[in-house]
Amino acid sequence: MIMMPSPALDEYQIGWICALPIEAAAAQEMLDEGFGTLEEQDNADTNIYTLGRIGKHCVVIAWLGGQYGTTSATTVANNMMRTFSKPLRVGLMVGIGGGIPSNANDIRLGDIVISYPTGTCGGVLQHDMGKIGEDGKLIRTGSLSSPSRLLLAAVNQMRAAELTSDPLYPSYIDKVVQKNARTRRNFSRPGPQCDRLFQIQYEHPSSAATCDGCLAEWEVERHEREDNEPQPHYGIIASGNTVINHGGTREQLQKDTGALCFEMEAAGLMLDFPCVVIRGICDYADSHKNKQWQGYAALAAASYTKELLGYVPRGQVSQEKLVTDIHTISGKLESLSKSADYINQKSDLQGLKIAKRAAFNSYENKHVECLPGTRTELLRQIEEWAESPHGKCIFWLNGMAGTGKSTISQTIASRLKVKKSLGASFFFKRGEEDQGNAKRLFPTLIQQLTTSIPQLIPSIQKVVKDDPYISERSLGEQFDKLLFQPLNVNLDQTITMVIVIDALDECKSEENEDDIKVILRLLPRVQESKSIRLRFFLTSRPELPIRRGIQEITGHHQDIDLHKVSDPDIKHDISLFLEDRLVRIQSGRSLPIDWPGKSVFQTLIAMSVRLFIFAATICRILEDDQWDPVDSLSEILTHQTDNSKLDGTYLPVLNRLLMNQAGVRESGWRKNIARYLEQSSCLRVHSLLFPFQLSLESRRN
């Protein structure tokens, strides 16, 4: 790039915005001439600009300083139009994004996605903007502007040229990469072995920094391309303030929106700075995402943009018109500022004593979700209840220990969150100070609800200010002041939200054994609210206090007993689960290809039927590196005639734990076993754990 004297300010008709330093560096490498930075600008403009020429166009480049989000993009665009209000005519948003591959669109890492009007969408939609309709579904409100007709015409010309001629942008990429050692290090294309797309149910191991150890059998099979040049894709780009790093969420949003990629800034530009959005694909918006492809993807997007500008006639640029009314923009920023005020107001709710680890997606409380293809009919019924305008206030799912209630709760909460209809969640856990405490339920739920419904914040602020000890009051007073009264806030439309409460039976306190009945008696009162309709998805064991509490609210609930789900359905689901896990165990532990064999597989299914926890536990035993899977499986099979399932599930675990504990860990196990014996009322558990406790004590002596 050659440094030359800068042209007059009114020559800069094209504004190029990017978010990250790597994107700004790639953009600057596209300049044929560089004119340095701007010496004087509007006093209220905090941007730093790079000025230059690409072909026949003078371009001003600004970046967000590494800040993500639509609000940051709006601020940068607003500042740019303060300083360049007269000349600026064309806008570009260029950088990286997360790709959404599908059967219809073979999107690979390093490819380029260009926003392009599709159907009623101008090319960019905000996937996290809308309202919840009466059926519980997100209705996207408002629309984002289409890019200028001149830019669209240039895109169409370039698309036509691609049909007969080789594009120029690959040569721009090569020129930058070969420039010096630094550009080779930061912008070179990773090898094809680094482009791995995994099936959505295969999550990246939380402890692994890279995908080197991710199992190859979970990769999606794709044909090999003829060359490694980035391929362009034209269509909808989904923008929002939420980072998407979950394969299931990616697939659901693709079905809802038809988008080709995700990013986090364009929605903040399109109303006041309509532009073409160009994104190089650096990941697949799932848990396997990393920064390995960011440099190459940023360079690919910038190189495509440089070639695109070659199709834009300089004389026609001055005929375009951006929305440069600073008062209009200031009004939008004021609205955004009010939204930010809601966030600041939430700091005033810190007086609420909440269970910080109770939410379904908290790190400590993470449960696995239902394997795709399992629990399909049950999940369908629950989702229909959640979405139906005529659904009961409470849906009670009950079943004995080990039947998979928490896994179902996790799945439902995750799906509702994607649909923007999850109000809050609380996963009770007996023995945990906060998660087993009924007094933390309502403060925790309302704290989460204020995120979904920020209009509740002023009411909750007043409650906390008037009574700083509200979290210590009776359940009835907490419910009335924190939940029931704030729900009467007036909204423009009716909102339906679902609250997921898992393991309600584990909400027991020595102070008050009637807590569960009180909670169940209070919940139906939310039906009196007109603007905010709350529904509660509850799971528990069918213990007597729960059954009595449910009987008292007859007419306000519907229920499903997991023990009444047909055996063929349970057998089918457990079979899919075991098949999935055993294939991974066989590969990961280098066992024979036919392990464990059809006969043993059927035996394990028969042993597991109705207890998902049995199947999950034996798989964890077989996965554990400190135990031999063949020996472990042999010991498990010796208990196949035990109808209680406890011997076959836990004796192999206990025996191996006994062999592998020493010192501090052994002492910890003695304390844990003693505590479980004190808490458990199950004679069968005592018959298993008490001998194990004696074995530990004898080893100590």
Side-chain angles (χ1 to χ4, degrees):
M1 181 177 65
I2 304 171
M3 299 298 293
M4 298 290 290
S6 177
L9 202 64
D10 59 6
E11 293 290 317
Y12 294 94
Q13 297 182 328
I14 295 177
W16 180 322
I17 295 178
C18 28
L20 302 175
I22 192 72
E23 298 170 348
Q28 291 167 16
E29 288 297 323
M30 295 300 107
L31 298 177
D32 297 314
E33 289 183 292
F35 305 133
T37 58
L38 192 63
E39 296 297 329
E40 295 182 8
Q41 58 198 67
D42 188 281
N43 291 333
D45 183 355
T46 57
N47 292 347
I48 296 177
Y49 300 105
T50 298
L51 308 177
R53 179 184 61 80
I54 297 178
K56 46 191 174 290
H57 300 288
C58 289
V59 178
V60 53
I61 300 172
W63 66 294
L64 278 57
Q67 299 181 37
Y68 294 101
T70 58
T71 304
S72 296
T74 303
T75 302
V76 170
N78 175 32
N79 284 333
M80 180 181 281
M81 287 187 285
R82 288 180 187 274
T83 297
F84 296 90
S85 59
K86 292 183 178 179
L88 209 58
R89 292 292 179 266
V90 172
L92 298 164
M93 182 76 199
V94 186
I96 58 177
I100 311 176
S102 65
N103 292 333
N105 298 285
D106 180 30
I107 294 175
R108 310 280 180 99
L109 299 186
D111 281 358
I112 308 158
V113 173
I114 301 93
S115 65
Y116 193 82
T118 304
T120 59
C121 178
V124 176
L125 61 81
Q126 186 165 356
H127 63 80
D128 56 1
M129 177 179 69
K131 64 181 181 179
I132 304 298
E134 293 186 359
D135 58 357
K137 294 183 177 179
L138 177 68
I139 302 173
R140 290 182 173 82
T141 56
S143 59
L144 301 177
S145 304
S146 298
S148 71
R149 57 175 181 79
L150 185 61
L151 284 180
L152 281 181
V155 169
N156 287 331
Q157 280 187 283
M158 190 165 171
R159 292 184 72 175
E162 290 168 358
L163 300 176
T164 58
S165 305
D166 291 334
L168 297 176
Y169 60 83
S171 65
Y172 301 152
I173 295 173
D174 291 340
K175 182 178 180 181
V176 173
V177 171
Q178 299 303 321
K179 179 180 176 181
N180 56 45
R182 287 185 178 274
T183 56
R184 285 192 292 275
R185 182 168 62 250
N186 293 314
F187 292 106
S188 290
R189 180 185 179 92
Q193 73 278 5
C194 299
D195 183 1
R196 305 178 70 187
L197 173 63
F198 293 94
Q199 298 176 37
I200 60 173
Q201 62 267 37
Y202 183 58
E203 292 290 322
H204 183 75
S206 58
S207 59
T210 70
C211 285
D212 292 344
C214 292
L215 302 180
E217 58 264 30
W218 285 95
E219 286 189 51
V220 176
E221 292 186 10
R222 297 180 291 178
H223 69 272
E224 185 176 347
R225 284 183 171 176
E226 295 180 359
D227 57 60
N228 288 328
E229 290 183 357
Q231 300 299 308
H233 306 269
Y234 301 88
I236 296 172
I237 292 178
S239 180
N241 285 302
T242 305
V243 176
I244 305 298
N245 57 3
H246 181 260
T249 303
R250 178 195 71 203
E251 295 300 296
Q252 185 61 51
L253 285 174
Q254 193 279 330
K255 293 177 182 177
D256 293 343
T257 65
L260 302 181
C261 86
F262 295 114
E263 59 93 74
M264 296 183 64
E265 290 80 34
L269 300 177
M270 297 305 293
L271 289 176
D272 302 317
F273 193 82
C275 55
V276 164
V277 182
I278 300 169
R279 292 294 184 186
I281 302 303
C282 64
D283 58 63
Y284 291 120
D286 60 11
S287 61
H288 300 273
K289 66 190 306 179
N290 56 61
K291 297 182 179 181
Q292 191 173 19
W293 283 82
Q294 284 191 359
Y296 182 83
L299 183 60
S303 298
Y304 178 96
T305 306
K306 177 172 183 173
E307 182 172 356
L308 176 65
L309 289 177
Y311 288 89
V312 178
R314 187 177 187 279
Q316 293 185 25
V317 174
S318 58
Q319 305 303 313
E320 295 298 306
K321 184 178 181 180
L322 281 173
V323 180
T324 55
D325 183 348
I326 200 67
H327 299 292
T328 301
I329 301 169
S330 297
K332 182 177 180 182
L333 287 175
E334 182 180 353
S335 175
L336 289 169
S337 177
K338 290 180 180 179
S339 298
D341 286 343
Y342 279 126
I343 298 173
N344 295 330
Q345 289 171 358
K346 291 199 71 175
S347 63
D348 295 337
L349 305 183
Q350 297 303 311
L352 291 174
K353 292 185 178 179
I354 65 170
K356 295 181 180 179
R357 296 183 293 273
F360 87 98
N361 55 353
S362 68
Y363 179 81
E364 296 86 352
N365 194 42
K366 192 72 173 176
H367 296 274
V368 296
E369 294 185 21
C370 296
L371 186 72
T374 65
R375 302 290 201 185
T376 52
E377 177 59 23
L378 178 60
L379 294 173
R380 183 192 64 77
Q381 292 182 51
I382 299 169
E383 289 183 286
E384 282 187 355
W385 160 79
E387 296 174 0
S388 171
H390 308 296
K392 300 285 188 181
C393 175
I394 294 173
F395 191 115
W396 178 42
L397 179 72
N398 69 89
M400 299 302 293
T403 50
K405 301 183 297 297
S406 292
T407 300
I408 295 168
S409 295
Q410 181 80 16
T411 306
I412 289 297
S414 180
R415 293 186 179 185
L416 291 174
K417 185 173 180 64
V418 170
K419 297 177 179 180
K420 305 292 185 182
S421 56
L422 177 68
S425 60
F426 197 110
F427 278 52
F428 279 104
K429 189 176 294 184
R430 184 175 298 159
E432 296 291 332
E433 182 177 357
D434 286 343
Q435 285 179 261
N437 192 338
K439 287 194 300 185
R440 298 291 175 259
L441 175 62
F442 294 126
T444 302
L445 295 182
I446 195 63
Q447 195 265 357
Q448 293 180 37
L449 269 173
T450 57
T451 300
S452 306
I453 314 173
Q455 295 92 331
L456 296 174
I457 292 177
S459 298
I460 308 303
Q461 281 181 309
K462 186 176 186 307
V463 171
V464 176
K465 182 179 180 181
D466 292 344
D467 186 358
Y469 299 100
I470 185 63
S471 299
E472 303 300 326
R473 305 305 180 198
S474 69
L475 291 178
E477 188 172 353
Q478 285 186 22
F479 174 85
D480 188 63
K481 293 183 177 180
L482 291 175
L483 199 63
F484 179 69
Q485 292 182 21
L487 288 180
N488 292 316
V489 64
N490 291 322
L491 302 179
D492 294 335
Q493 73 278 336
T494 300
I495 297 177
T496 300
M497 287 286 179
V498 178
I499 292 176
V500 175
I501 301 177
D502 182 66
L504 183 60
D505 54 292
E506 298 195 17
C507 163
K508 292 183 178 180
S509 64
E510 296 179 359
E511 299 85 14
N512 194 340
E513 295 183 356
D514 291 332
D515 283 346
I516 293 175
K517 291 177 64 177
V518 171
I519 291 170
L520 290 172
R521 195 179 304 125
L522 291 169
L523 296 185
R525 289 185 58 197
V526 301
Q527 297 172 98
E528 298 176 32
S529 170
K530 303 302 181 184
S531 295
I532 302 173
R533 288 198 297 234
L534 289 187
R535 292 183 182 169
F536 297 90
F537 176 72
L538 311 178
T539 73
S540 76
R541 302 178 191 182
E543 295 182 349
L544 188 58
I546 302 277
R547 296 203 307 270
R548 286 177 175 171
I550 290 291
Q551 288 172 359
E552 291 183 9
I553 57 171
T554 298
H556 299 293
H557 80 280
Q558 67 184 81
D559 58 78
I560 288 182
D561 183 347
L562 284 175
H563 271 58
K564 293 182 180 179
V565 178
S566 66
D567 278 347
D569 290 340
I570 296 292
K571 186 175 181 180
H572 169 266
D573 291 351
I574 288 179
S575 174
L576 287 180
F577 173 83
L578 281 173
E579 182 180 11
D580 173 74
R581 292 286 291 273
L582 291 176
V583 166
R584 283 193 267 172
I585 293 169
Q586 177 273 323
S587 174
R589 307 212 61 183
S590 301
L591 296 167
I593 192 68
D594 58 346
W595 183 89
K598 292 183 179 179
S599 176
V600 171
F601 179 68
Q602 293 301 322
T603 299
L604 292 176
I605 294 174
M607 295 174 69
S608 303
V609 165
R610 294 217 163 269
L611 285 182
F612 269 88
I613 195 172
F614 180 90
T617 302
I618 62 175
C619 287
R620 282 196 289 268
I621 295 171
L622 300 175
E623 287 170 337
D624 199 309
D625 290 337
Q626 65 180 328
W627 299 334
D628 180 81
V630 176
D631 291 344
S632 296
L633 183 56
S634 296
E635 183 169 352
I636 291 167
L637 293 173
T638 63
H639 300 282
Q640 60 185 285
T641 58
D642 173 46
N643 292 327
S644 74
K645 302 286 194 300
L646 286 170
D647 285 348
T649 307
Y650 297 112
L651 274 180
V653 180
L654 297 177
N655 289 337
R656 279 157 176 73
L657 287 173
L658 180 59
M659 290 188 296
N660 287 282
Q661 305 309 316
V664 175
R665 294 182 69 187
E666 179 183 326
S667 174
W669 272 99
R670 279 200 308 273
K671 293 178 182 178
N672 286 337
I673 296 301
R675 187 177 78 248
Y676 290 138
L677 283 168
E678 289 174 3
Q679 293 179 351
S680 177
S681 59
C682 175
L683 292 177
R684 190 67 179 125
V685 169
H686 276 256
S687 69
L688 281 168
L689 294 186
F690 186 65
F692 184 62
Q693 184 189 35
L694 292 178
S695 297
L696 286 171
E697 292 297 331
S698 65
R699 285 187 61 191
R700 182 180 62 169
N701 298 327

